Amino acid sequence: MIDVFFQYDFLRYSFYTSLMIGILAPLVGVFIVVRRLALLADTLSHITLTGIAFSMMMARYYPAFAAINPVYTGMGFAVAGSLMIEQLRKSYAYYKELAIPVILSAGIGIGVVFISLADGFTTDLFNYLFGSVAAVSRNDFTAVAVLTAVVSLLLLLFYKELFFLSFDEEQAVLSGIPARALHLMFIVITAVVIGISMQIVGILLVSALMTLPVAAAMRIAASFKQLFLFAVLFGELSVIAGMTAAFYADAAPGGMIVVINLLILGAVLSADRFLKRKEKPVWTSS
Amino acid sequence: MSADREAVLELQGVQFGYSSRPVLEDIQLSVAPGSFLGLVGPNGSGKSTLMKLLLGLLEADEGTIKLFGTPVQSFRDWNRIGFVSQKAGSFNSGFPATVFEVVSMGLYGKIGLFRFMKKKHKNRVMEALRLVGLEEYSGRQIGMLSGGQQQRVFIARALVSEPELLILDEPTVGVDADSVRNFYELLKELNRNKGITLLLVTHDIGAMSDYVTDVACLNKCLHFHGATGEFISNKDEMMRAMYGHDVSVIEHNHDHGHHDHHHDHDRSEAVK
Ligand SMILES: Nc1ncnc2c1ncn2[C@@H]1O[C@H](COP(=O)(O)OP(=O)(O)OP(=O)(O)O)[C@@H](O)[C@H]1O
Ligand SMILES: [Mg+2]
């Protein structure tokens, strides 16, 4: 069934890309979930949309702009947005969460203006919102592969520091871990992963691919390392099954991938309940 | 104190306030290597604030703080100091990390950036767990341990980098009386056998004074600082100065709700 993806170039590169986001999104997602940053991921994906809308608007008035893949403009916006969030978090030291709704609404509001000034809702825009099985060209794929390698390497290199910061920020800082720099690096990574994933799953569902596999993995992982293992396993499973289903049903892959993730989550939850694992602490029921 | 070895900790004229209102005033304190100092004081007396100053998390408005002879501003050897925060137990108990993984964190600063855990580090972690008697719990999720066991895990995390000074901010809150005794025994052992200098912040004056070598009483100012024996013989007077109330109110203050009033009272009688 999967072999159809290898018959056509345009499908093949999308498929490879989805294999990569099946790893990347859950990897980043683990830290997003344990640091309670799920809303940050959502906010950044909406800002990515703002960037894409900006790119489309510019392309309409300045055709030269069309040469730039809107995804990169989107990533640029998301990185800039993440820096603004950090700045706002500093300004509202006691209401840090306020930064999220401010940037979220700014992103959507400005994005809607850009969309109206461009052509309104086009197929392209629809694809960015919900994802597409055929979004990735060969050139894009090269960029995706490089970014995947860089992001994975950074996460591996700073695994222990990110882990410590997620568990106990005060102690982590005490032991000399550069918390601010790492936090900044992490949200830039998040912005990049959102940009990559968005082409396949769509902006509206990017954060689902980051959080749902982790949510399922949480129920069965016995350690932090296992959490990564299971999250990536579920992520890959959902991406492969979702892409295949989307192709045959001619549906948007984002929706299919999320549906598969929900099935996995449902299966894990009911298995968990069925087995009534004594080893699990009280928190699982809350 | 005319210590021929340099003081582990040295505070001179330290003053601090979060706003213009001072929380700590003119603190002089010197901790000799190998001592076991109990720091007591009522709620809000500035104990945790003082710990944060020592650790460089806050900066003193006035005075000097020296760690191992180096001013705290320029101190970089944080591996020589282990710290168990008052908030250590308030992590998200659903956090999917094992006891082993949590204790490993204590080595991350020492291992440094761009480096990974090696076999010898793993052995160190197991050794620290053995020291606190939690060897067989290494693969358990941290949230599944009891409060007292979790406290031990955090001690192990503080110990794993082999610090010379261990600072504990109210480590026995929420731990049952039996475990508290065991816990103090463990601290005593670390102090005696491993030669680790200990600074213990606590409310539990009764139990503590059986174990510590020195006592310091804090309530904005330092009301007493000296050997435990001296503290015990002047206890009532000290209490009055520190709390500004008579002793019966103090007994009430120490009642954490776990053990009953009588029990607490009996114990402090016994100490006298
Ligand atoms: N972050 C803060 N901002 C402003 N004031 C603070 C802050 N932390 C503590 N304080 C104030 O400083 C004083 C000392 O607080 P601190 O936490 O040091 O007391 P403590 O002796 O540790 O008390 P406890 O026994 O309850 O732990 C208190 O009056 C408290 O209200
Ligand atoms: Mg305190």
Side-chain angles (χ1 to χ4, degrees):
Chain A
M1 247 161 83
I2 309 177
D3 34 304
V4 65
F5 289 105
F6 301 100
Q7 286 162 17
Y8 306 98
D9 271 0
F10 69 98
L11 285 180
R12 191 187 324 158
Y13 293 118
S14 290
F15 189 70
Y16 289 157
T17 302
S18 55
L19 289 183
M20 296 199 178
I21 63 171
I23 298 173
L24 279 187
L27 278 186
V28 172
V30 166
F31 289 114
I32 285 179
V33 169
V34 297
R35 303 189 72 179
R36 302 176 187 279
L37 292 175
L39 265 178
L40 175 81
D42 251 330
T43 306
L44 292 184
S45 60
H46 284 91
I47 301 174
T48 310
L49 176 66
T50 315
I52 285 169
F54 174 77
S55 200
M56 291 173 136
M57 180 193 74
M58 293 302 275
R60 184 178 177 193
Y61 297 106
Y62 307 96
F65 225 85
I68 303 171
N69 187 335
V71 172
Y72 300 124
T73 323
M75 278 187 205
F77 268 60
V79 170
S82 59
L83 300 181
M84 271 190 267
I85 289 174
E86 278 312 285
Q87 204 52 46
L88 273 176
R89 279 165 65 94
K90 262 198 278 176
S91 311
Y92 292 97
Y94 291 98
Y95 290 99
K96 287 197 164 106
E97 71 283 359
L98 199 54
I100 299 278
V102 168
I103 297 294
L104 183 63
S105 38
I108 297 175
I110 298 169
V112 168
V113 171
F114 287 157
I115 290 171
S116 332
L117 290 179
D119 283 331
F121 271 87
T122 58
T123 339
D124 273 356
L125 193 58
F126 187 85
N127 283 343
Y128 287 124
L129 282 175
F130 300 105
S132 156
V133 274
V136 184
S137 72
R138 192 200 167 96
N139 281 341
D140 291 342
F141 173 70
T142 314
V144 166
V146 170
L147 287 173
T148 302
V150 171
V151 168
S152 312
L153 190 70
L154 285 175
L155 289 178
L156 184 70
L157 270 182
F158 294 106
Y159 165 82
K160 66 184 197 309
E161 283 78 16
L162 289 170
F163 174 45
F164 202 169
L165 280 171
S166 309
F167 185 77
D168 187 342
E169 183 155 355
E170 188 183 70
Q171 284 277 343
V173 170
L174 264 178
S175 75
I177 287 170
R180 269 198 60 74
L182 281 170
H183 185 65
L184 220 60
M185 178 197 81
F186 181 71
I187 49 182
V188 170
I189 284 180
T190 308
V192 169
V193 173
I194 287 171
I196 297 173
S197 313
M198 185 207 73
Q199 305 174 65
I200 306 287
V201 288
I203 284 160
L204 296 176
L205 297 172
V206 165
S207 66
L209 186 59
M210 289 181 158
T211 50
L212 290 180
V214 182
M218 275 259 190
R219 303 298 294 239
I220 48 177
S223 68
F224 202 60
K225 287 229 170 81
Q226 276 191 16
L227 186 60
F228 283 99
L229 205 73
F230 285 118
V232 168
L233 193 73
F234 294 152
E236 282 296 309
L237 196 65
S238 71
V239 158
I240 294 171
M243 282 293 275
T244 312
F247 178 78
Y248 284 105
D250 196 17
M256 282 296 185
I257 290 172
V258 170
V259 168
I260 306 281
N261 266 308
L262 289 172
L263 289 176
I264 294 172
L265 185 61
V268 169
L269 289 180
S270 34
D272 199 34
R273 174 161 298 188
F274 183 70
L275 296 171
K276 273 255 182 288
R277 294 163 55 100
K278 273 213 192 76
E279 289 279 274
K280 284 274 135 179
V282 196
W283 61 269
T284 47
S285 62
S286 64
Chain B
M1 251 174 262
S2 60
D4 50 344
R5 288 198 287 162
E6 86 184 350
V8 169
L9 210 59
E10 180 105 59
L11 282 79
Q12 251 159 26
V14 169
Q15 189 150 329
F16 178 82
Y18 288 97
S19 49
S20 54
R21 197 173 54 87
V23 170
L24 294 169
E25 259 176 7
D26 194 32
I27 308 288
Q28 320 278 349
L29 186 70
S30 165
V31 179
S35 58
F36 184 172
L37 175 69
L39 180 71
V40 293
N43 286 126
S45 57
K47 303 183 297 294
S48 296
T49 304
L50 186 62
M51 296 310 111
K52 284 184 183 148
L53 287 167
L54 295 181
L55 294 164
L57 294 171
L58 292 172
E59 212 174 305
D61 298 333
E62 260 169 64
T64 55
I65 299 175
K66 282 186 178 169
L67 301 166
F68 301 101
T70 310
V72 63
Q73 298 87 341
S74 45
F75 188 77
R76 290 289 168 271
D77 263 348
W78 292 107
N79 292 314
R80 296 174 77 179
I81 300 177
F83 175 55
V84 180
S85 156
Q86 189 171 9
K87 292 183 300 185
S90 61
F91 66 95
N92 175 359
S93 62
F95 199 102
T98 62
V99 168
F100 185 92
E101 287 175 319
V102 171
V103 176
S104 303
M105 293 174 190
L107 282 174
Y108 289 173
K110 206 165 191 168
I111 296 172
L113 291 170
F114 310 111
R115 283 166 214 276
F116 300 94
M117 288 271 288
K118 295 206 184 82
K119 181 102 182 125
K120 64 170 183 195
H121 299 120
K122 291 179 181 167
N123 292 339
R124 288 266 275 293
V125 171
M126 286 316 289
E127 213 169 285
L129 280 171
R130 202 168 306 136
L131 213 57
V132 299
L134 286 178
E135 219 180 337
E136 64 272 38
Y137 289 86
S138 69
R140 285 280 196 101
Q141 272 196 19
I142 176 84
M144 290 192 271
L145 268 54
S146 73
Q149 290 171 328
Q150 287 176 6
Q151 256 337 319
R152 281 166 180 264
V153 173
F154 293 117
I155 306 265
R157 184 175 71 178
L159 283 176
V160 70
S161 62
E162 297 180 331
E164 291 155 66
L165 168 66
L166 182 59
I167 299 178
L168 305 132
D169 193 353
E170 302 204 38
T172 52
V173 172
V175 177
D176 65 73
D178 274 352
S179 307
V180 168
R181 287 275 159 185
N182 289 334
F183 181 73
Y184 281 130
E185 288 294 342
L186 167 67
L187 294 184
K188 194 167 160 184
E189 220 175 274
L190 291 172
N191 179 242
R192 292 242 176 108
N193 304 343
K194 297 242 156 195
I196 299 173
T197 309
L198 289 175
L199 171 49
L200 171 72
V201 174
T202 182
H203 273 103
D204 192 2
I205 298 176
M208 170 211 75
S209 38
D210 294 349
Y211 297 94
V212 298
T213 60
D214 299 84
V215 177
C217 301
L218 184 76
N219 193 0
K220 202 162 144 188
C221 319
L222 213 53
H223 288 277
F224 173 82
H225 178 209
T228 310
E230 200 185 325
F231 168 75
I232 290 171
S233 48
N234 296 309
K235 191 164 167 243
D236 289 352
E237 198 183 314
M238 222 74 75
M239 294 287 107
R240 212 163 293 126
M242 179 167 62
Y243 287 81
H245 307 290
D246 56 38
V247 180
S248 64
V249 180
I250 302 161
E251 305 295 1
H252 182 74
N253 271 353
H254 294 165
D255 192 354
H256 285 274
H258 294 294
H259 32 251
D260 63 25
H261 208 109
H262 265 297
H263 179 88
D264 218 15
H265 190 85
D266 290 349
R267 191 200 279 155
S268 43
E269 284 308 316
V271 166
K272 289 185 222 167

